[in-house]
C-alpha cells in the first residue's frame, strides 16, 4: 500500500455570548421554552428590518485580533438563500464577499512540536432554529428560539495533517474564545460546532485530493473517531481503484461510521447577494485601537508569566491556563494568600481532585478563589494545620462556607500558645517514662514518638512545630 497523507480543513461555528440576538432585541438564552425568545424580525415576518447588534461586531473584532487576523475595515453582509423549515426568512444573513476577518493564524502545540494553522477567514452570521422530531406523534415541531443567535464561523486553511492537530486547535480556539468572553464554546450545548473537511493524497503529491465534509460533530472524542474512520474509508476506496466523491457525510458516533448525506452535484446554489437591508460595517482606526487595548491577557502570555514570574512549573502552568475558570481561581487565591506558588500547589493537589471526584469542572461549578486564598493564608500563618485546611477546602467546595467561620465552629483552629499546649505535653511526659528515659539517655529519635502522643492528646489541633519546641524545653528541664 502507498503511504498516504491526510489533509484537513475546519469550519468552526461559535455562538456568541451576547445578551441579545444579532438583528433584534430577543434573548439568546439557551434552553427557554420553545418559541418564547422570538419576535417579528427573527421569525421572518415580511416587512420587518434587521438592526445590527454592535456587540457582535465588537466580539468578532476581538476574536479576529486574538487569532492574528487582518480586520476588514469595510465589511458587509450577504444573503444566503435556501429553504428549510428552521429558517423562516428562507435566507440566512451571512458574509461571503467581504468577511470581517481574514488571513490569521493559530499556533498549536503537538507531540511533534509547535505548528501554525492558517485562518482563512472569520465571518459573522445568524443561526437557524431547531427542528424537534416527535417520535410519539410522528410530527416535527419547530423552535425559533435559536433563530438569529449570533455566530462566528472560523474557516481554517487545509493545514491539519492529523487528528491530534485538529483537537489541539479546537481546544486552543475554545480557550481563546473563553478568555475573550465572546463565546462559552460548549460543544455539548452546541455553542461550538465543527465541520471537518478531509481528503487524502499520496505523501509528497502536490495537489490535494477530493475532500468530503462531515458536519456538526458534537465532541472532541467523536471528531477523533470520525477522522480515523473517514481517513481509512477514503484510502480503502482509492486502493480499490475507486475515487472519492465530494460530498457531505454524516458521522454516526454510535455506529461509528460516516454515510453520504448529499453530494456536491445536487448541492444548492445559494444565490448569494449583498443584503439590501443592512449598511456595510465600517470600522474606524480609533475603534480598532480601543478594542486592541481592551484585549485580556491570553493563555500563551499567562503561561509564560506564571513560569517566569511566579515560579510555577511548565506542567502546572499548562494545566491552570487550560481553563479560564481555573485561571480566575488561581489568580484570586494567589492574590489573597500572597503566594502564587502555594495557590498552584493547592489547586493541583487538592482542588482539582475535588472537581474530578464530583465529576464536574471549574467551568460548570462555581468556586470562590478568594476562599482558597484565605485557607492557604490560615495554614501558612499557623492558624490551622494542613490537614484541617484540606477539610475546610472540602466544605468550601461543597457548601461554599466561610473558611474562618467554619474553622471556628468546627474547632479546627490550631492551638499554638504555650499555656494551652503545656499541660497536655506534661501529661504525655508523665505517662511515658520509658520513652522519656531513653530520650534523656541520648536516644533523641524518641522525640517523634512523644510529639505524636502529644498531637493525639491535643486532638491534632496543635501546631506540630510549637509542640516540638515546648516538648524539648520541658525535657531539657528534666535533665
Ligand atoms: P466551500 O466554500 O465549498 O465550503 P472552501 O474552499 O471554503 O469550500 O473550504 C471549506 C473548508 O475546506 C476550509 O476549511 C478548507 O481549508 C477545507 N478544504 C478545502 N479543500 C480541502 C481539501 N482538498 N482537503 C481538505 N480540506 C479542504
Ligand atoms: Mg463551507
Ligand atoms: Zn427577535
Amino acid at each position: 500500500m502507498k503511504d498516504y497523507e491526510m489533509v484537513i480543513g475546519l469550519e468552526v461555528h461559535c455562538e456568541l455570548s451576547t445578551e441579545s440576538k444579532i438583528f433584534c432585541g430577543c434573548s439568546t438564552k439557551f434552553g427557554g421554552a420553545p418559541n418564547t425568545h422570538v419576535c417579528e424580525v427573527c421569525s421572518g415576518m415580511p416587512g420587518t428590518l434587521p438592526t445590527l447588534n454592535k456587540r457582535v461586531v465588537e466580539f468578532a473584532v476581538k476574536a479576529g485580533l486574538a487569532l492574528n487576523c487582518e480586520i476588514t475595515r469595510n465589511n458587509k453582509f450577504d444573503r444566503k438563500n435556501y429553504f428549510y423549515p428552521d429558517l423562516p426568512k428562507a435566507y440566512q444573513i451571512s458574509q461571503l464577499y467581504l468577511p470581517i476577518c481574514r488571513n490569521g493564524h493559530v499556533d498549536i502545540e503537538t507531540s511533534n512540536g509547535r505548528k501554525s494553522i492558517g485562518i482563512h477567514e472569520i465571518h459573522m452570521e445568524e443561526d437557524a432554529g431547531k427542528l424537534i422530531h416527535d417520535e410519539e406523534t410522528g410530527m416535527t415541531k419547530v423552535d425559533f428560539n435559536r433563530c438569529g443567535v449570533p455566530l462566528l464561523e472560523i474557516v481554517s486553511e487545509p493545514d491539519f495533517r492529523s487528528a491530534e492537530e485538529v483537537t489541539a486547535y479546537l481546544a486552543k480556539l475554545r480557550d481563546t474564545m473563553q478568555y475573550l468572553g465572546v463565546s462559552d464554546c460548549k460543544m455539548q450545548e452546541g455553542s461550538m460546532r465543527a465541520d471537518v473537511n478531509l481528503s487524502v493524497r499520496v505523501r509528497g503529491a502536490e495537489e490535494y485530493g477530493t475532500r468530503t465534509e462531515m458536519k456538526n460533530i458534537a465532541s472532541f472524542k467523536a471528531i477523533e473517531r470520525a477522522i480515523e474512520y473517514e481517513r481509512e474509508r477514503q484510502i480503502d476506496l482509492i486502493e480499490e481503484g475507486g475515487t472519492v466523491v465530494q460530498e457531505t457525510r454524516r458521522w454516526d458516533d454510535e455506529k461509528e461510521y460516516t454515510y453520504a448525506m448529499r453530494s456536491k452535484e445536487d448541492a444548492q446554489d445559494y444565490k448569494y447577494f449583498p443584503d439590501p437591508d443592512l449598511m456595510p460595517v465600517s470600522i474606524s482606526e480609533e475603534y480598532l485601537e480601543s478594542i486592541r487595548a481592551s484585549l485580556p491577557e491570553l493563555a500563551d502570555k499567562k503561561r509564560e508569566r506564571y513560569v517566569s514570574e511566579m515560579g510555577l512549573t511548565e506542567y502546572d502552568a499548562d494545566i491552570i491556563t487550560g481553563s479560564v475558570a481555573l485561571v480566575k481561581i488561581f489568580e484570586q487565591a494567589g492574590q489573597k494568600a500572597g503566594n502564587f506558588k502555594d495557590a498552584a500547589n493547592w489547586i493541583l493537589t487538592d482542588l482539582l481532585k475535588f472537581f474530578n471526584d464530583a465529576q464536574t469542572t471549574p467551568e460548570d461549578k462555581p468556586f470562590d478563589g478568594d476562599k482558597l486564598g484565605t485557607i492557604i493564608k490560615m495554614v501558612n500563618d499557623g492558624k490551622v494545620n494542613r490537614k484541617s485546611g484540606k477539610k475546610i477546602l472540602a466544605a468550601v467546595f461543597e457548601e461554599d462556607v466561610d473558611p474562618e467561620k467554619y474553622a471556628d465552629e468546627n474547632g479546627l483552629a490550631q492551638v499554638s500558645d504555650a499555656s494551652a499546649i503545656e499541660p497536655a505535653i506534661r501529661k504525655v511526659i508523665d505517662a511515658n517514662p520509658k520513652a522519656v528515659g531513653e530520650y534523656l539517655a541520648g536516644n533523641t529519635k524518641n522525640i517523634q514518638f512523644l510529639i505524636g502522643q502529644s498531637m493525639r492528646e491535643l486532638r491534632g489541633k496543635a501546631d506540630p512545630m510549637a509542640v516540638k519546641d515546648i516538648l524539648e524545653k520541658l525535657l531539657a528541664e528534666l535533665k
Side-chain angles (χ1 to χ4, degrees), residues 63-72 100-107 116-122 154-157 159 169 173:
L65 291 175
L67 303 178
N68 310 295
C69 292
E70 294 159 12
I71 306 299
T72 313
I100 187 159
C101 314
R102 286 187 286 209
N103 299 331
H105 63 91
V106 172
D107 297 332
S116 186
I117 302 293
I119 304 269
H120 185 74
E121 65 168 75
I122 304 176
I154 304 166
V155 183
S156 85
E157 299 294 352
D159 286 345
Y169 168 86
L173 269 193

Side-chain angles (χ1 to χ4, degrees), residues 347-367:
I347 287 173
L348 285 145
T349 49
D350 299 309
L351 186 61
L352 282 181
K353 204 170 163 309
F354 287 136
F355 278 108
N356 283 341
D357 291 348
Q359 294 186 5
T360 180
T361 66
E363 261 69 31
D364 294 316
K365 181 178 163 67
F367 177 88

Side-chain angles (χ1 to χ4, degrees), residues 40 42 62 83 85 131 134 137 157 160 173 198 203 269 283 287 303 359 361 388 433 468:
E40 60 275 21
C42 57
K62 277 188 173 163
F83 173 77
L131 294 182
D134 189 335
T137 59
E157 299 294 352
F160 303 95
L173 269 193
L198 187 155
R203 201 176 295 279
D269 178 352
I283 292 172
Y287 180 77
R303 190 177 309 113
Q359 294 186 5
T361 66
S388 302
K468 182 161 185 266

Side-chain angles (χ1 to χ4, degrees), residues 15 143 174 440:
E15 263 180 14
D143 176 6
R174 181 194 57 198
L440 294 175

